[in-house]
């Protein structure tokens, strides 16, 4: 098995220390940082994402895989920057105003990173203006809004409306998700996309920006 395949395999098993050591080994073997990212780390994370969608693995497995991904990235990130490898885009994510749930949103952030995005996480209880300001500041391609309560999901419309009323209209895509959110609700408030789970959110974000 090649070092890159070993990186993917160990990432799927959540072996953070091994992933870190294997990324170092791959660099010593002369592999390009972009190739290590795509064929090692992202390849492993994408398998985890697919298995998560099919309920073959659950939240804990995703969290430990994401931790292994972060361990590998800690070695790789400076090399990627030096090699001029750009993220596919910036995604600003947060939980909507009035809502304090963040476990699902954090998973979405990890999957987005796993799909090659730079993620700016605004945390919980985020008003529309906060999403907008951050999207401007970081030149975001995507805003991702999470809601877990039927009483707060309605606040997602404020984010969609604020983007539409701003100079970011048409440039920044708004995607939404969370347990009570549905495609019908997404259509009703005019968001650009809805994803039912974290792995689908990463696929959706790439689709929304044409990657
Ligand atoms: Co809360 N809570 N909670 N809670 N809580 C729920 C959501 C609830 C369904 C429990 C219940 O009654 N059965 C209920 C909501 C009812 C409703 O509105 N219909 C509820 C309630 C009522 C409340 C309080 C009002 C309770 C109270 O105080 N009386 C209160 C509200 C506080 C507030 O937000 N203002 C509250 C508080 C809390 C805690 C703080 C104690 C804690 C949150 C801790 C934290 O997040 N750091 C908590 C928890 C843990 C839950 C449950 C048990 C678990 C939520 C969770 O993390 N799920 C939840 C019951 C349940 O869901 N079984 C419940 C795991 C997570 C991985 O799933 O977040 O759905 P989820 O994310 C998924 C997808 O939805 C999707 O991807 C994720 C991974 O696949 N997804 C996205 C999420 N965001 C996305 C964004 C995307 C795309 C996909 O694009 C941007």
């Amino acid at each position: 098995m090649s070092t890159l395949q070993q990186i993917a395999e160990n990432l799927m098993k959540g072996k953070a220390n091994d992933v870190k050591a294997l990324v170092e080994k791959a660099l010593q073997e002369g592999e390009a940082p972009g190739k290590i990212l795509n064929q090692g780390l992202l390849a492993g994370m994408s398998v985890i994402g697919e298995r998560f969608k099919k309920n073959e693995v659950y939240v804990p497995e995703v969290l430990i895989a994401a931790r292994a991904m972060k361990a590998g990235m800690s070695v790789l990130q400076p090399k990627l920057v030096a090699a001029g490898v750009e993220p596919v885009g910036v995604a600003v994510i947060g939980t909507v105003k009035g809502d304090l749930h963040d476990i699902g949103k954090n998973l979405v952030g990890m999957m987005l990173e796993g799909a090659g995005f730079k993620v700016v996480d605004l945390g919980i209880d985020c008003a529309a203006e906060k999403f907008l300001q951050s999207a401007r500041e970081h030149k975001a391609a995507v805003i991702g809004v999470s809601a877990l309560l039927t009483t707060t999901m309605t606040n997602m419309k404020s984010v969609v409306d604020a983007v539409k009323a701003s100079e970011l209209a048409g440039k920044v895509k708004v995607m939404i998700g969370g347990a009570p959110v549905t495609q019908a609700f997404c259509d009703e408030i005019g968001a650009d996309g809805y994803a039912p789970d974290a792995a689908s959110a990463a696929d959706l974000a790439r689709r929304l920006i044409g990657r």
Side-chain angles (χ1 to χ4, degrees), residues 55-208:
N55 288 327
E56 291 171 6
V57 298
Y58 298 97
V59 172
E61 286 95 331
V62 177
L63 292 177
I64 58 166
R67 196 185 54 190
M69 165 117 188
K70 274 197 196 311
M73 281 304 281
S74 70
V75 179
L76 202 57
Q77 187 79 50
K79 310 286 176 197
L80 287 168
V81 173
V85 177
E86 297 282 337
V88 295
V90 176
V92 168
I93 63 166
T95 303
V96 79
K97 177 92 188 134
D99 201 320
L100 308 179
H101 297 84
D102 67 356
I103 299 168
K105 182 263 298 164
N106 294 344
L107 280 175
V108 170
M110 289 167 193
M111 284 297 175
L112 285 169
E113 276 179 4
F117 282 85
K118 178 184 168 198
V119 173
V120 178
D121 188 344
L122 302 178
I124 53 176
D125 192 19
C126 296
E129 193 48 40
K130 194 169 175 185
F131 282 104
L132 227 64
Q133 268 173 15
S134 180
R136 282 190 190 108
E137 186 187 338
H138 297 282
K139 299 191 177 23
V142 177
I143 291 176
V145 193
S146 178
L148 261 287
L149 300 171
T150 46
T151 48
T152 58
M153 63 190 267
T154 47
N155 295 335
M156 290 173 145
K157 187 171 186 308
S158 319
V159 183
V160 173
D161 290 348
V163 170
K164 282 189 179 157
S166 77
E167 80 289 359
L168 302 179
K171 294 181 196 147
V172 178
K173 305 289 182 186
V174 181
M175 63 176 200
I176 61 172
V181 180
T182 60
Q183 183 61 53
F185 180 71
C186 172
D187 298 341
E188 186 188 317
I189 67 169
D192 295 297
Y194 155 75
D197 57 63
S200 309
D203 294 343
L204 171 66
R206 287 191 77 118
R207 257 199 330 275
L208 286 176

